[in-house]
């Protein structure tokens, strides 16, 4: 890996990200004064959550990152727009048309309409994302993991019929609150999916690759499954550092525990590190940051040959996330 000193130059960072956890971390990395280095950030976003709803293409994680970094996110909800109304959703429900459980906001609908029109006109998702970012100016280079449709579906026993069926991830997550036991996650379209243009280069040419505290299964895991992605992370000369999304044996918000149990990984910071594995042993991580309340497991993680530190990992505000990002840079670039 070699020692890198990037104090005086811009640090090229490539991060993989899901929605809320990824976006909050990235906002700290790029917008907090706690980060003492100049950074140039490329984000490879999960598009496994993407779904067609009432004829429009919705990309929840791309939009969460775009709105959070562009200042348009609902602070209270963490997804969708601030000052949102849901008139269109209520009108659609009044017609009794499914899905009624999806939180389609009126302001958000404008984003989805533009995306859908542009996709129908033949633009790629990368091109459309870049055009949407012209308005939001998120201060990062935001790229979808793939321009191909590759959606996460969840195999469950249907609550009414008992039949084993696969439903869209969003239906499992939102409609059923991730409470129906998931037998398996399937990425529909993975066999023909390719990384979006620039994704592999961004990993190979980075000074540092980051895995923010995003869901290890249905955010980071989904991105890693795209052909060539894991190989690029294993082969990059940049150090790879992850931050645990599991704090004190629980996901801070959301239902990541339900996803982890489906792939037989326990909900704790050391188990997630073991799941990603050490780069020295064919895995992905050089460094793993865990929350200070989990400091007991530092030895277990170091035994995996992953350099670990325990620091506060709760993203209570922009500066708390910024402090996490700064610790990540210090550890990976100066160690
Ligand atoms: P999603 O696509 O909106 O579910 O967002 P991500 O996959 O990017 O992030 C979700 C994960 O973020 C959850 O599984 C939580 O474990 C994690 N998370 C949320 N808030 C925090 C926090 O303050 N600190 C840490 N360490 N993890 C968090
Ligand atoms: Ca997501």
């Amino acid at each position: 890996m070699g020692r890198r000193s990037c104090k005086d130059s811009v640090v090229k960072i490539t991060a993989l990200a899901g929605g809320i956890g990824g976006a909050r971390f990235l906002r700290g990395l790029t917008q907090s004064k706690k980060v003492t280095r100049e950074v140039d950030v490329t984000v490879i976003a999960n598009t496994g959550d993407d779904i067609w709803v009432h004829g429009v293409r919705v990309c929840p994680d791309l939009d969460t990152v775009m709105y959070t970094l562009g200042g348009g996110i609902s602070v209270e909800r963490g997804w969708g727009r601030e000052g949102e109304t849901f008139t269109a959703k209520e009108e659609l429900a009044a017609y009794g048309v499914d899905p009624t459980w999806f939180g389609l906001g009126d302001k958000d609908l404008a984003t989805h309409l533009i995306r859908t029109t542009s996709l129908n006109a033949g633009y790629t998702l990368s091109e459309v994302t870049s055009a949407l970012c012209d308005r939001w100016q998120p201060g990062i280079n935001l790229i979808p993991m793939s321009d191909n449709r590759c959606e996460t579906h969840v195999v469950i026993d249907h609550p009414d019929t008992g039949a084993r069926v696969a439903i869209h991830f969003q239906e499992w997550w939102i409609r059923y609150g991730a409470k129906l036991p998931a037998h398996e996650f399937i990425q529909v379209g993975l066999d023909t999916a390719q990384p979006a243009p620039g994704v592999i280069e961004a990993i190979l040419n980075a000074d540092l690759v980051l895995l923010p505290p995003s869901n290890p299964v249905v955010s980071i895991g989904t991105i890693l499954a795209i052909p060539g992605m894991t190989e690029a992370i294993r082969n990059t000369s940049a150090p790879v550092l992850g931050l645990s999304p599991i704090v004190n044996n629980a996901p801070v918000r959301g239902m990541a525990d339900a996803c982890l149990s489906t792939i037989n990984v326990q909900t704790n910071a050391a188990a997630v590190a073991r799941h990603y594995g050490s780069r020295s042993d064919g895995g992905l991580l050089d460094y793993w940051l865990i929350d200070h309340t989990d400091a007991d497991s530092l030895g277990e993680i170091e035994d995996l040959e992953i350099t670990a530190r325990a620091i506060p990992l709760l993203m209570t505000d922009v500066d708390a996330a910024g402090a996490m990002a700064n610790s990540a840079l210090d550890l990976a670039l100066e160690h």
Side-chain angles (χ1 to χ4, degrees), residues 150-173:
C150 181
E151 290 173 6
T152 306
H153 282 61
V154 189
V155 179
I156 52 149
D157 295 327
H158 194 279
D160 300 331
T161 64
R164 191 161 284 205
V165 291
I167 59 175
H168 193 286
F169 170 74
Q170 296 291 356
E171 186 171 7
W172 181 70
W173 190 257

Side-chain angles (χ1 to χ4, degrees), residues 13-182:
I13 296 173
T14 297
L16 276 47
I20 296 179
R24 289 192 173 172
F25 174 77
L26 293 164
R27 185 173 51 185
L29 173 67
T30 55
Q31 297 179 12
S32 166
K33 293 216 164 33
K34 298 277 178 187
V35 177
T36 54
R37 292 173 178 78
E38 206 182 323
V39 295
D40 173 3
V41 181
T42 296
V43 175
I44 302 168
N46 172 42
T47 54
D49 298 7
D50 295 8
I51 186 168
W52 287 99
V53 180
H54 299 297
V56 294
R57 188 69 176 157
V58 182
C59 302
D61 289 359
L62 279 171
D63 288 350
T64 297
V65 173
M66 182 175 77
Y67 293 152
T68 302
L69 275 67
I73 199 79
S74 159
V75 176
E76 190 192 334
R77 284 196 310 271
W79 58 267
R81 297 285 308 284
E82 191 68 70
E84 186 61 286
T85 51
F86 291 91
T87 308
K89 176 180 190 271
E90 286 156 18
E91 288 295 313
L92 289 159
Y95 282 103
V97 180
D98 281 331
T100 51
W101 42 264
F102 195 84
L104 198 62
D106 297 329
K107 289 185 180 182
D108 219 3
L109 197 52
T111 306
H112 308 324
L113 285 167
I114 293 168
R115 174 185 292 123
T116 306
T117 308
S118 305
L119 289 171
N120 286 341
Y123 292 99
T124 64
L125 183 59
S126 304
E127 290 167 336
V128 177
T129 302
S130 166
L132 293 170
C133 285
D134 282 346
R135 172 182 175 194
W136 291 101
Q137 296 290 316
I140 53 156
N141 177 24
L142 180 61
I143 328 181
M145 65 188 193
S146 175
D147 281 338
N148 307 117
R149 186 173 172 177
C150 181
E151 290 173 6
T152 306
H153 282 61
V154 189
V155 179
I156 52 149
D157 295 327
H158 194 279
D160 300 331
T161 64
R164 191 161 284 205
V165 291
I167 59 175
H168 193 286
F169 170 74
Q170 296 291 356
E171 186 171 7
W172 181 70
W173 190 257
I174 298 171
R175 182 179 187 182
Y176 296 113
K179 293 210 164 52
L180 292 178

Side-chain angles (χ1 to χ4, degrees), residues 203-242:
I203 295 170
L204 295 178
N205 298 333
D207 296 319
L208 171 62
V209 173
L210 289 177
L211 305 187
S214 283
N215 188 310
V217 188
V218 294
S219 293
I220 304 285
T222 311
I223 303 172
L224 291 173
I226 298 294
M229 203 73 78
T230 354
E231 290 75 4
I233 295 181
R234 288 199 187 111
N235 293 334
T236 181
S237 58
V240 180
L241 180 145

